[in-house]
Amino acid sequence: MRLEVLAVGRLKTGPESELYDRFCERIVKSGKQLHLTGPHLTEIPEGKGSNVALRKQEESRQLLAKVEAGSKIILLDERGKDLTSQGFAELIRAQQEDGVRSLAFAIGGADGHGDDLKAQADRSIRFGSMTWPHQLVRIMLVEQIYRAITILSGHPYHRE
């Protein structure tokens, strides 16, 4: 199954980018045995709309245009469902067992996700009830993907 990260905004060069890349390298190496590829990153620019609704709509449409046909979309949103790391691993396993070819994780802009994207999403999850900058959410996401892979493969990285 192909793993996608779709994000509003750019991750600039620096420690955040290096940490993101480090977890992606781990995912590539560890994910092979579970038939997981990626994560493939697609970035779009922040919306230029004159108000929040227009910006969210523009970003939503741009993100949707990048989603492969047949992908399941998971929004990262502060109003989404809380999952444990084990629950996140089970989510990935269930999608793979259901024959999903691509799993797209969408990270919105500063104003959140637009209604178009919310309507197409298969589910919405969060990393707690706090609001996080998109740079940190990307890192937290790839760390959790790596953690999920280690859980699913029985590697001791994750501890209960």
Side-chain angles (χ1 to χ4, degrees):
M1 180 171 65
R2 182 177 167 95
L3 301 172
E4 302 280 342
V5 176
L6 308 172
V8 175
R10 304 265 183 239
L11 192 57
K12 295 175 180 65
T13 304
E16 296 91 352
S17 179
E18 291 169 14
L19 189 55
Y20 180 88
D21 291 343
R22 187 176 325 147
F23 278 110
C24 287
E25 289 171 12
R26 291 179 182 182
I27 292 167
V28 168
K29 290 177 187 172
S30 303
K32 287 179 186 177
Q33 68 179 352
L34 298 175
H35 307 288
L36 296 171
T37 64
H40 305 279
L41 175 64
T42 300
E43 297 176 313
I44 64 156
E46 294 177 9
K48 303 273 191 240
S50 59
N51 62 51
V52 170
L54 290 174
R55 282 192 299 276
K56 287 177 16 175
Q57 182 180 41
E58 178 185 341
E59 292 167 354
S60 175
R61 288 183 180 158
Q62 286 185 52
L63 288 175
L64 278 171
K66 302 294 183 181
V67 175
E68 285 188 19
S71 292
K72 295 284 184 171
I73 302 171
I74 298 176
L75 300 183
L76 280 92
D77 186 276
E78 66 191 25
R79 288 167 294 284
K81 181 180 179 186
D82 284 318
L83 293 175
T84 63
S85 293
Q86 185 70 40
F88 185 73
E90 291 302 320
L91 168 68
I92 291 174
R93 180 196 323 252
Q95 299 304 309
Q96 196 168 28
E97 287 176 355
D98 286 347
V100 172
R101 290 182 38 227
S102 177
L103 191 57
F105 295 94
I107 302 169
D111 299 310
H113 293 290
D115 291 337
D116 293 349
L117 186 56
K118 287 179 183 178
Q120 295 291 319
D122 294 279
R123 69 175 359 164
S124 180
I125 64 172
R126 69 182 186 171
F127 293 140
S129 57
M130 295 180 182
T131 303
W132 299 96
H134 69 87
Q135 298 94 334
L136 291 180
V137 171
R138 289 182 199 200
I139 295 166
M140 292 171 12
L141 174 61
V142 293
E143 191 281 335
Q144 284 299 302
I145 292 171
Y146 174 68
R147 184 176 296 274
I149 290 169
T150 65
I151 290 169
L152 296 173
S153 64
H155 187 279
Y157 177 78
H158 178 72
R159 294 175 179 86
E160 290 285 329

